[in-house]
Amino acid sequence: MRRVTAGATWLARIRALDLPERLRIMNVCGGHERSIAQAGLRTVLPEEIELIPGPGCPVCVCPEEAIYHAIHLSLDEGVILVAFGDMLRVPVNVAKGEVRSLEEARGLGGDVRPIASPTEARVIAAAEPERTVVFFAAGFETTTAPVAALVAEGLPKNLLLLTACRRTWPAVALLLESGEAGFDGLVAPGHVATVMGPEEWSFVAERFCIPVAVAGFTPESLLAAFASVVRQHLDGHPHLTNCYPEVVRPGGNRAAQQMLAATFDVVDAPWRGIGTLPASGYRLKGRYADHDAALRFPAATEQARARAGAMPAGCGCAEVVLGRLTPTACALYGHPCTPRAPVGPCMVSDEGACRIWWSSGKRG
Amino acid sequence: MCLAIPMRIEAVDGFNARCAAKGVERDVSLFLLQDEGVAVGDYVMVHVGYAIQRVARADAEASWALFDEILATEPPPDGGGG
Ligand code: SF4
């Protein structure tokens, strides 16, 4: 009840503000988009405020070549391929008749197993000591830190990593630097900030003069962040605020950051459909070369590299991820693209905007 | 996969904890909170099987309420019609 009241209060405060004609607020987290959609925040906010889902889905931008690589490892190298469940149905572009997802690879006899936690990869590796287990890990910082923890705890000899881990803020920097950011305020991702510290997001205000607030996942935390962004916009003094202080501490989780730094190098990395973004990816450090699936299976790697990194034909996921197209504006949304028969990764992943909009009942 | 949920620590064995939320129990690694000295009875935010931060009890309970709503409105996997 206390919470409901808090949400209503924030809403009343936002309504009382002298709103500009149009204020576009982007979020960059599938969890935020899900809360917004489930709580119906778009319908209760004044129409001047537009909520835009942005780059919040690591599975959606996972390079096609990495998925192709994982498919190949599971079918041709006899490994046990483990991945977060989301990853299994993400389609790659291949000629008709070729295997287009890890799920299809599994149907053809590939030993592909969905996991919910990196710790399960260790359990499977321990149970199958004679076999090579490859953990295909895609995720943003919040997911990459647990992968780093898995490595820091010591990897079993037969457990390798194939990673497509990405940092969130470089995608926002790309949008801001492009000159057409497409948003007037940003809600920064609460659990990324939990791990990396909220300070990572101050550049949005300081370098680009765009209001920014870290938000949690309850409607009232999101509404508090929207109110803060609107206020900053009206005052003309953008500065980072933290509307999720109960979990996001100054400096973040330092132990997690140390593990990330000890495990990965920060490198330029490809984002599917978008291109290579500077300093946006994590690559396993050289000292873990024995556990790097990309190095241990170079033949597969060469084939994987030959794949271009495009989205499926007609799929607007790249534009959806960048906040330049709303899911329902994609010509394929609902016809034929649905969670049951997804055309692009945004309709597959729980964090994909298309999937979230569809699940919350939006029909074109 | 992105959804992190707060859980209560029920038992601890080294870096491994048994945690509970709304009657569901899970094994959770405390490895990322090793400097925090978390103990039985504390609440932690759990993401992909790892505790990533402490949470106050009241905040944990508020998130559970939200989680209930999400589960109540979420169609089953592969659902959503079409
Ligand atoms: S509706 Fe389907 S095809 Fe269109 S952008 Fe979303 S996932 Fe891609």
Side-chain angles (χ1 to χ4, degrees), chain A residues 314-317 320 325 327 330-334 337-338 342-348 354:
Chain A
C315 164
C317 277
V320 168
L325 187 77
C330 172
L332 304 186
Y333 185 87
C337 185
T338 64
V343 174
C346 297
M347 193 58 96
V348 175
C354 298

Side-chain angles (χ1 to χ4, degrees), chain A residues 11 33 43 49-50 54 123 130 144 146 176 200 216 226 265 327 360 364:
Chain A
L11 207 50
E33 184 53 32
T43 45
I49 298 179
E50 233 175 88
V123 172
E130 302 304 322
T144 311
L176 290 167
E200 259 196 355
F226 299 149
D265 289 318
S360 71

Side-chain angles (χ1 to χ4, degrees), chain A residues 1 47 171 266:
Chain A
M1 204 54 211
E47 60 178 22
V266 169

